[in-house]
C-alpha cells in the first residue's frame, strides 16, 4: 500500500494536516492512528482553552492567526467545534518572587501582547471583584484578553477528520506505526505497521504522534527529541452554589486552569497523573491538592463534588516548553512537544505544515520552533 503523504497520529494535528493537504490539492493522503481518532490529548473530558493570554511570545503570531480562524471553523469544516469566545483572564497575586511575574510585570506583558495583535487589558482589584464576586482577597489584578475562549477538542478533531475524509484522505484507525522505513541515503520512505504491513510514502512521512514521535525518530535517525510524556490531570467538579467563573481563567503563579461546563467547573493545569506499568492513573492526593488551589482562589466553592477525573490523555512536553516543528531527515516532518498548549494554535500550525510539505513553502511563523535551535 502506498500514499504520497503518510501522517502518523490521528489527533487534532494529524486530522487537521490531512484536511489542509487535501484542501490544497494533495490527492493521496493517509492518516495512521494506532487507536481511534482523538484517542490521545485531542480527546477526553471537557474542553480546551483557546488562549493567547500569557503564551510564550513566540507563539503569539500563531495565536493572532488562530483567532481569525476559530470563530468560523465550524462552517469551513461542516462540523461542530464547540468554540466559544468567552474572554480569558490570568489572575495576579503580586508582587511575585520572580522577576517574570507579579503586578509589576503585568503592564509590560499586556503591552507586548497587544503589540503582537492580542489586545490585552489590565484589571485592578475592583474590576476583578466585579467580574468574579467572592474571589480571594489575595488576587490583586488580572490580565484580560477578550479574544480568548474555549473549544470542544474531541468534536473539533472529529470534524477535521470528517472534512479530510470528504476531500479524499484515508483515515486508517487501528493501524499503529511500529517503525519508520529508511533508504540507504537516510531518506524516510514509509512506515512498517504494528501488523507487519509496509505503507510507502512517496513524498513525505509526517509524524504527528505527540509523545509517540520520540521513539520513532530515535529508531530511524538516532536523534532523541528533547521531549517527554506528561499526563495532565483534568477534573469535572460540581457545586451547589453558582460557580461564578464566567470565562477561561488561569493564574499567574498557581497551577490553575478553569473553565465552566454548564454549572460544573473543569479544572486542569495542576499536579498531573502518575505513570504506572498499567498506564497513567489519577492520584487522589494530587487531585485534592489541585482542588485546594481552586478553593484558595474561590473560597466559596467549599462543597465541590468530583464528577469525573482523568489523567489518561498523554501530552508531550519539550525542554524549552515550546513545540518542535520541522524535518528530522529527508522526507520526515515532525511536530511534537506541545507542552500543554498545543490545542489553540492547531488550526494554523496544521495549515502551515501542509503548505510546507506540499508546496515547499516554509512559513516564517514556524521558524522559532525549528529543531535547529537544539543543534
Ligand atoms: C488534559 C489536557 C488539557 C489540555 N488543555 C489545553 C488547553 O487548555 N489549551 C491548549 O492549547 N492545549 C491544551 N492541551 C494540549 C493539547 O490538547 C495538545 O497539545 C494537542 O491536543 C496535541 O494534539 P496532537 O494531535 O499532537 O496529539 P494527540 O491528540 O495526542 O494525537 C496523537 C495521536 O497519535 C497516536 N499515536 C501515537 N503513537 C502512534 C503510532 N506509533 N502509530 C500510530 N498512531 C500513534 C495516538 O494514539 C494519538 O491519537 C491539553 C492537553 C491535555 C491532555
Amino acid at each position: 500500500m502506498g500514499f504520497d503523504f503518510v501522517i502518523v497520529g490521528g489527533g487534532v494535528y494529524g486530522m487537521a494536516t490531512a484536511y489542509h493537504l487535501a484542501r490544497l490539492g494533495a490527492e493521496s493522503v493517509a492518516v495512521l492512528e494506532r487507536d481511534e481518532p482523538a484517542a490521545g490529548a485531542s480527546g477526553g473530558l471537557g474542553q480546551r482553552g483557546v488562549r493567547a493570554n500569557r503564551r510564550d511570545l513566540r507563539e503569539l503570531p500563531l495565536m493572532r492567526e488562530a483567532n481569525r480562524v476559530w470563530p468560523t471553523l465550524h462552517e469551513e469544516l461542516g462540523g461542530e467545534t464547540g468554540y466559544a469566545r468567552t474572554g480569558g483572564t490570568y489572575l495576579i497575586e503580586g508582587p511575585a518572587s520572580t522577576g517574570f511575574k507579579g503586578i509589576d510585570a503585568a503592564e509590560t506583558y499586556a503591552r507586548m501582547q497587544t503589540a503582537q495583535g492580542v489586545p490585552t487589558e489590565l484589571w485592578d482589584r475592583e474590576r476583578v471583584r466585579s467580574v468574579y464576586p467572592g474571589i480571594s482577597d489575595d488576587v490583586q489584578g488580572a490580565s484580560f484578553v477578550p479574544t480568548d475562549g474555549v473549544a470542544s477538542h474531541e468534536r473539533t478533531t472529529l470534524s477535521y477528520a470528517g472534512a479530510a475524509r470528504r476531500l479524499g484522505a484515508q483515515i486508517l484507525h487501528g493501524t499503529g506505526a511500529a517503525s519508520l522505513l529508511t533508504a540507504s541515503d537516510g531518506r524516510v520512505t514509509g512506515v512498517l505497521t504494528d501488523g507487519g504491513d509496509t505503507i510507502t510514502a512517496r513524498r513525505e512521512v509526517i509524524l504527528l504522534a505527540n509523545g509517540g514521535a520520540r521513539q520513532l525518530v530515535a529508531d530511524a535517525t538516532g536523534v532523541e527529541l528533547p521531549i517527554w510524556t506528561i499526563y495532565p490531570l483534568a477534573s469535572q467538579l460540581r457545586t451547589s452554589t453558582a460557580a461564578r467563573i464566567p470565562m477561561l481563567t488561569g493564574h499567574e503563579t498557581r497551577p490553575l486552569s478553569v473553565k465552566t461546563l454548564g454549572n460544573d467547573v473543569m479544572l486542569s493545569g495542576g499536579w498531573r497523573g502518575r505513570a504506572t506499568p498499567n498506564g497513567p492513573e489519577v492520584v487522589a492526593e494530587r487531585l485534592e491538592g489541585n482542588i485546594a488551589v481552586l478553593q484558595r482562589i474561590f473560597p466559596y466553592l467549599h462543597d465541590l463534588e468530583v464528577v469525573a477525573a482523568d489523567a489518561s490523555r498523554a501530552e508531550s512536553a519539550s525542554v524549552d516548553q515550546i513545540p518542535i516543528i520541522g524535518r528530522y531527515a529527508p522526507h520526515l516532518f515532525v511536530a511534537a512537544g506541545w507542552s500543554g498548549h498545543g490545542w489553540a494554535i492547531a488550526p494554523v500550525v496544521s495549515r502551515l505544515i501542509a503548505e510546507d510539505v506540499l508546496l515547499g513553502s516554509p512559513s516564517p511563523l514556524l521558524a522559532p520552533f525549528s529543531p535547529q535551535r537544539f543543534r
Side-chain angles (χ1 to χ4, degrees):
M1 200 182 337
F3 301 89
D4 288 347
F5 296 97
V6 175
I7 295 171
V8 180
V12 69
Y13 278 92
M15 298 308 185
T17 302
Y19 162 72
H20 283 294
L21 280 170
R23 198 181 58 98
L24 288 166
E27 286 177 1
S28 172
V29 179
V31 179
L32 315 187
E33 165 54 48
R34 178 169 274 151
D35 200 316
E36 57 187 34
S42 306
L45 186 63
Q47 299 170 322
R48 296 278 182 263
V50 178
R51 172 182 64 81
N53 208 354
R54 293 304 181 91
R55 228 169 226 276
D56 188 290
L57 288 182
R58 287 163 289 186
E59 291 185 11
L60 286 186
L62 297 169
M63 269 315 300
R64 188 184 58 220
E65 294 299 311
N67 279 335
R68 291 203 187 112
V69 175
W70 274 109
T72 53
L73 185 59
H74 61 291
E75 291 167 14
E76 181 183 335
L77 300 181
E80 287 178 71
T81 62
Y83 174 73
R85 187 162 275 183
T86 60
T89 55
Y90 245 56
L91 304 174
I92 303 169
E93 287 180 57
S97 56
T98 129
F100 303 114
K101 307 261 166 80
I103 210 83
D104 308 337
E107 186 274 333
T108 305
Y109 276 107
R111 188 156 41 83
M112 293 310 294
Q113 289 183 182
T114 303
Q116 294 276 4
V118 178
T120 305
E121 294 171 22
L122 273 188
W123 287 357
D124 61 14
R125 288 175 72 98
E126 287 62 43
R127 183 73 199 275
V128 172
R129 265 150 203 78
S130 70
V131 175
Y132 294 91
I135 198 167
S136 158
D137 282 342
D138 294 339
V139 178
Q140 298 199 6
S143 105
F144 169 67
V145 170
T147 48
D148 278 359
V150 294
S152 162
H153 44 308
E154 193 153 319
R155 273 188 276 159
T156 305
T157 302
L158 297 179
S159 294
Y160 268 121
R165 230 185 252 115
R166 284 194 293 280
L167 290 171
Q170 291 202 36
I171 293 164
L172 308 176
H173 56 88
T175 308
S179 61
L180 303 178
L181 302 169
T182 50
S184 54
D185 60 2
R187 212 166 18 100
V188 171
T189 55
V191 163
L192 183 69
T193 69
D194 294 338
D197 296 322
T198 294
I199 300 183
T200 306
R202 289 184 288 267
R203 290 192 54 181
E204 190 117 22
V205 171
I206 309 168
L207 205 44
L208 301 172
N210 211 342
R214 182 171 162 174
Q215 194 62 49
L216 291 168
V217 173
D219 291 346
T221 69
V223 177
E224 287 283 347
L225 297 179
I227 65 172
W228 63 96
T229 298
I230 57 173
Y231 298 97
L233 171 49
S235 58
Q236 182 175 349
L237 309 170
R238 190 150 294 162
T239 171
S240 60
T241 54
R244 287 181 262 161
I245 302 174
M247 64 183 79
L248 180 68
T249 302
H251 192 290
E252 195 186 50
T253 45
R254 295 184 190 274
L256 185 75
S257 173
V258 194
K259 306 156 187 96
T260 44
L261 299 170
N263 292 327
D264 291 348
V265 174
M266 180 185 166
L267 177 62
S268 59
W271 283 279
R272 299 181 181 131
R274 180 165 58 201
T276 75
N278 300 323
E281 63 178 24
V282 174
V283 180
E285 303 84 65
R286 296 186 188 180
L287 177 57
E288 283 161 19
N290 292 346
I291 293 172
V293 172
L294 177 71
Q295 289 172 323
R296 165 106 197 224
I297 302 301
F298 301 99
Y300 56 88
L301 295 177
H302 44 75
D303 67 339
L304 292 169
E305 174 204 342
V306 178
V307 178
D310 181 25
S312 67
R313 304 290 172 155
E315 166 77 330
S316 57
S318 84
V319 72
D320 55 0
Q321 300 291 289
I322 56 170
I324 301 166
I325 306 171
R327 278 195 180 71
Y328 269 84
H331 298 192
L332 176 63
F333 198 99
V334 181
W338 307 107
S339 304
H341 43 89
W343 175 256
I345 54 178
V348 171
V349 173
S350 56
R351 176 173 60 76
L352 299 178
I353 292 173
E355 287 173 1
D356 188 335
V357 298
L358 183 70
L359 310 173
S361 53
S363 167
L365 295 188
L366 295 187
F369 313 105
S370 163
Q372 293 298 336
R373 70 186 189 270
F374 302 115
R375 295 202 180 133

